[in-house]
Every structure is written in C-alpha cells, then in structure tokens.
Amino acid sequence: METTETESTRNAQTPLNPADFPQIISVDDHTVEPPNVWSDRLPKKFRDTGPRVVRAPLKEMTFLGGKFAPVMGNPGDDGPIGDWWVYEDLHRPLTRLDTAVGYDRDEIKLEVITYEQMRPGSFSVPERLADMDVNHVQSALCFPTFPRFCGQTFTEAKDRELGLLGVRAYNDWMVEEWCGPEARGRLIPLTLVPLWDPELAAAEVRRNAARGVRAVAFSEIPPHLGLPSIHGDEWDPFLAACAETGTVIAMHIGSSSKMPSTSPDAPPAVGSTITFANCCFSMVDWLMSGKFERFPELKIMYAEGQIGWIPYILERADVVWEENRGWGGVADKVRKPPSEYFADHVFGCFFDDAFGLKNLDSIGVANVLYETDYPHSDSTWPKSKEVGEAQMGHLAPDVVERIVRGNAIDLLGLDRDGCWRP
C-alpha cells in the first residue's frame, strides 16, 4: 500500500533551526487592570459604588475544591496587606497567582499583594511590551483579571445598569488604552459582553467590531453561571452577531467560575492537573449543539485548555454520533460527524503540551494556537521560545510558523506582521 508523509512529519528531512523560531503571537495572556479603569470612565453617580481599589489586610484565604475564598480585614487589623478590588459586596484581592512571572516556582504562593509587588508589565503597556520582547513575543491577546475571564464579576452583580456600564468601560479601556497607540498594534483586544442579556451582548459585539475588535470572551459552560446552555435558542442573537462580524468566541479555563475538582477538600494541585476538563465538556456541547450548522461562519477557541485530549474526544464524538443517532437527540441538527465541525470551527490553545504536538495529525495543524499565559504562575515566560523549540523540534518549519503565529493572524484578522490594526 502506498504511504504518504503528513504535513507535520516531513521535518525528518528539514529540522527546525532554533535561530529561525518565529516570533510568537500569544492568544492567551492576561492584563491586571490599573486601579483607575472604572473610576475614570463610570458616570459620577457610580464612582463610589463601581469597581475601585482599596488597600487592606487579609483576614483569611482558602483555595480548596476549586473555590477561591478570600476575606478582607478592617483597617488596623493584623494580617498581610494587599490591594483589593471592591465592588458591591465583592472583595477581591490581587494575589501572587495573578502575576507570578519573575518569581521562583517555590516562591509562588497564594498570598495577597499590592501593585508595587507585581511585575509592572502586568498592568503597564510599555513594560508589557518590554517583557514581550524578552520572551520573543510579537503580539498578545489578553484576558481580564478583576472582571474574571468572561466578565462574571459584572454578571453576578445586583445593579444591571452599573454592570452594563462596567462592561462597556472595560471594553473602552481595552480598545483605547491597553491596545491603544502606545501598544503599536502589539496588544490585541479581547472584549466582554453583558452575559445576562443576549440582545445587549449582540449589540456590544457589534459596537466593538465596528472599531476593529475580533475576539470576545464567553463562558465555557454558561449554566454554571446560572445562564442558559448553548443547546437552546437564547444565545442566538449573540451568536449571530459574532458570526456576522467575524468575532471569535474565546473561552478560557475557569470562565464558568467552577474549576474542575473532585471534592471540596481537594488541594489546588488536583484542579490544576485537570484544568482542561471543562474545555472538554464545553467542546462536546458545541459539537452536539447544531450551532455550527445554523451559524456556519462561527469560530470558537479554548484558551489554556491544552490540546492533547482533543483526538480522543473527537473520535468518541464521531462514534456516538454514528451509533446513537436513533436516540442521541442530535440527528436532526448535527448533520455530519462532529470532527468535521471541529476542523472548520474550533481552535485549541496550548503553552506546554508535548503529547498534543506528537499527535498533531489527529488534531489538525490549522486548529492549534500558541500562548504564553503571561503573567500567571503557569506562564512559560521568559522561556516561551525555548519551550516551543523543545516541543516543536520534530515539526516542519512551515507547520511551526502556522502554530506559533500564522493561525492566529488568520483567526484574529491581524496584518501580515502579526499586529492589530483597528
């Protein structure tokens, strides 16, 4: 039987030269919002109730069973001092896990910090660009910190008027300042939507698309937030807006406010090992939802979910679709094998997944994107280039180029230099 080489295994004859490793476009980094993001933008009547930073002691803090539970002390109380975001009843401290780059692994602990105790590149554009230069990064798409990964903070708030203004203020800061002229096209905007109202969400997608935004954050499993699943019609206005404007739906691990765990007393290491699990569940939801039939231009991506798990899930989904069509509940809306929808609509993102790269042919070169996760504790900064070289050394140079930057350029509508141009 005749055999053929696959795209990713041709490299046996053409090894990657480390000096030629392409400049990275990271599709999953993070920004720590400066203290004035909302105080500078909310109407005057909301400035005392909207998000603001207070310096206060920590009374206690736990992170067990996937649940983060900090308690803010009163001025004068004993305890380590940190900067806290205060908004309605929420008290959310900045922690070392929010911005861990530059620290030894053994020094990274769950502790409160102040802005002065974090690396300035976490919140300042010039310092961020400098840290990107150190890390061989051309451009970066950044998820939020205080709003959480898809704006859950505003979704859970009581005052909907203030919540909507908070979402819009964040988006204005993201587009006009974080990704503004000072960033020189190297920071790529990712915006939020008011998840509690799909019509308002659609309007916000279109408002931002009109100024060049091509990515919006969304929840991997909306029912965990008390919101409708994607199997009904409730999200259709939002999905239609994304499809019409070419806006990619970006879902970060933890964007359902429920990190995978096994028990209430499981240590964080358990959840950290299985962080991909919600991405796995979410992708099956989307593949079996029929939404890619109804919205053929729709694209979704999974940030920090890694990619090694994808081949088996696609194989299993195809088997279920074929063998359980009589009672599986999807025969009328999922008209071809789920793996075919994956190829056209779904993108996996990784920063450290040697196993996934060894099985790239079962995933698809066009469906894989690279990330650095700056400034989080899992980040490969400042060695993202070296990690990429070590894990992609078996791949052809053109395949590495696509994974490290080419696919992101196409997906996010960047120019050929990898920059965002509004």
Side-chain angles (χ1 to χ4, degrees), residues 196-270:
W196 59 89
D197 188 322
E199 293 285 356
L200 287 176
E204 190 63 12
V205 167
R206 292 190 171 97
R207 182 176 84 96
N208 292 306
R211 46 186 179 173
V213 177
R214 291 295 177 266
V216 63
F218 190 65
S219 174
E220 57 199 354
I221 308 178
H224 285 345
L225 304 180
L227 300 170
S229 80
I230 61 165
H231 295 290
D233 297 333
E234 291 90 343
W235 291 110
D236 284 4
F238 166 70
L239 300 182
C242 291
E244 291 165 12
T245 59
T247 300
V248 180
I249 297 175
M251 293 171 282
H252 195 284
I253 60 167
S255 57
S256 57
S257 296
K258 186 177 181 181
M259 292 296 288
S261 191
T262 55
S263 64
D265 59 347
V270 172

Side-chain angles (χ1 to χ4, degrees), residues 296-323:
E297 303 303 317
L298 203 60
K299 309 286 186 185
I300 67 173
M301 59 171 268
Y302 288 99
E304 207 173 322
Q306 313 301 339
I307 59 174
W309 53 272
I310 292 174
Y312 173 71
I313 292 300
L314 294 179
E315 176 184 84
R316 178 61 183 163
D318 282 356
V319 169
V320 169
W321 176 81
E322 181 65 39
E323 296 186 355

Side-chain angles (χ1 to χ4, degrees), residues 330-345:
V330 297
D332 60 336
K333 57 184 179 180
V334 182
R335 303 187 183 278
K336 56 187 180 182
S339 61
E340 294 187 24
Y341 292 107
F342 173 88
D344 293 334
H345 300 275

Side-chain angles (χ1 to χ4, degrees), residues 82-115:
D83 284 334
W84 297 69
W85 280 101
V86 177
Y87 173 42
E88 292 191 343
D89 297 331
L90 175 66
H91 297 156
R92 198 283 193 194
L94 297 176
T95 76
R96 179 55 63 209
L97 301 188
D98 292 325
T99 172
V101 293
Y103 285 78
D104 184 87
R105 293 288 179 183
D106 292 335
E107 296 177 323
I108 301 172
K109 305 182 187 307
L110 183 59
E111 59 184 355
V112 297
I113 61 171
T114 66
Y115 277 91

